[in-house]
Amino acid sequence: MITLDIQGFQELQDELMKELSALKSDKVVTVGIHEEAGNIESGDLTMASLGATHEFGADIKHPGGTSYGYASKAAADRDEVRFLKSGAGYMELGVTQPHNITIPARPWLEPGVASATPELLLTIQDGMEAGQSMDQILEAVGAVAAAKVKVYMTELKTPPNAASTIRKKGSSNPLIDTGAMRQSVTHQVSSEKVTEGLE
């Protein structure tokens, strides 16, 4: 097991940040789901909006009209009620009324980047010692941070999905369904001022 001397770690971080700022650059590296990721497959929602919904949580006003009932005779025998696709299932019992759906926050970006801090500091230190340019260091930092965010997303367990969601997608990981959102996490080095995606 590796342990860190927190006091020494902070001193190293401060020193590296001071040396890094001396290189002077108007460029920044951003990590997350960028606009270019496009929309999710099943609708008009952008992949970035989906990521923000998971990061911060959301309240959605559902118009209702979703069918529910027994998916099969065996389900009816067990009195197991589920949502049904329109026209599908063994027996429809009714449709939902308009209601609010609360999606709990499952922060993945900020804690994911924070989990990369030791590796990021070493990446910066190695780049400076190798005489790399600021662009090269920022590219390396972005790649390390994006990779760590993906690992964090894969390992996230709480808050868990509802039992019905787990049955539907066959996984208990609250952020992973098809893997498309995780795959959309990238980094970009740019000189453009960041105006969106900041809290």
Side-chain angles (χ1 to χ4, degrees):
M1 176 193 276
I2 298 174
T3 58
L4 293 174
D5 178 344
I6 300 301
Q7 182 176 353
F9 181 77
Q10 186 62 51
E11 289 171 359
L12 170 63
Q13 182 176 358
D14 292 344
E15 183 62 29
L16 285 174
M17 291 304 109
K18 186 200 300 186
E19 291 185 33
L20 195 60
S21 65
L23 293 177
K24 296 188 179 178
S25 172
D26 60 349
K27 293 190 176 179
V28 296
V29 60
T30 57
V31 175
I33 301 175
H34 296 87
E35 184 179 359
E36 295 79 9
N39 291 6
I40 64 173
E41 287 184 11
S42 58
D44 296 331
L45 184 69
T46 66
M47 195 63 74
S49 295
L50 177 63
T53 297
H54 283 297
E55 180 80 8
F56 303 111
D59 287 313
I60 300 170
K61 291 184 178 179
H62 194 284
T66 303
S67 174
Y68 62 89
Y70 301 122
S72 65
K73 184 176 185 315
D77 292 341
R78 293 191 305 269
D79 196 26
E80 185 178 273
V81 177
R82 295 188 182 181
F83 291 122
L84 304 173
K85 292 183 178 178
S86 180
Y90 172 69
M91 180 188 299
E92 183 182 68
L93 299 177
V95 295
T96 59
Q97 297 298 310
H99 58 283
N100 288 335
I101 298 173
T102 298
I103 299 175
R106 294 181 175 98
W108 54 272
L109 181 57
E110 185 174 346
V113 171
S115 73
T117 300
E119 289 93 332
L120 295 178
L121 293 175
L122 288 173
T123 300
I124 294 168
Q125 183 179 26
D126 291 346
M128 293 174 68
E129 289 176 353
Q132 292 181 343
S133 68
M134 176 62 89
D135 284 5
Q136 291 173 313
I137 292 174
L138 290 176
E139 283 287 352
V141 162
V144 169
K148 287 293 284 187
V149 167
K150 290 179 180 180
V151 169
Y152 187 90
M153 292 173 77
T154 303
E155 296 175 349
L156 185 70
K157 302 298 180 196
T158 56
N161 283 133
S164 58
T165 302
I166 294 172
R167 280 196 308 269
K168 181 179 177 183
K169 72 179 189 178
S171 166
S172 61
N173 185 303
L175 288 181
I176 309 298
D177 185 3
T178 65
M181 189 177 91
R182 176 180 52 190
Q183 194 59 38
S184 297
V185 175
T186 57
H187 74 280
Q188 291 182 358
V189 175
S190 172
S191 27
E192 294 180 13
K193 184 177 179 182
V194 179
T195 57
E196 296 183 9
L198 298 177
E199 289 294 319

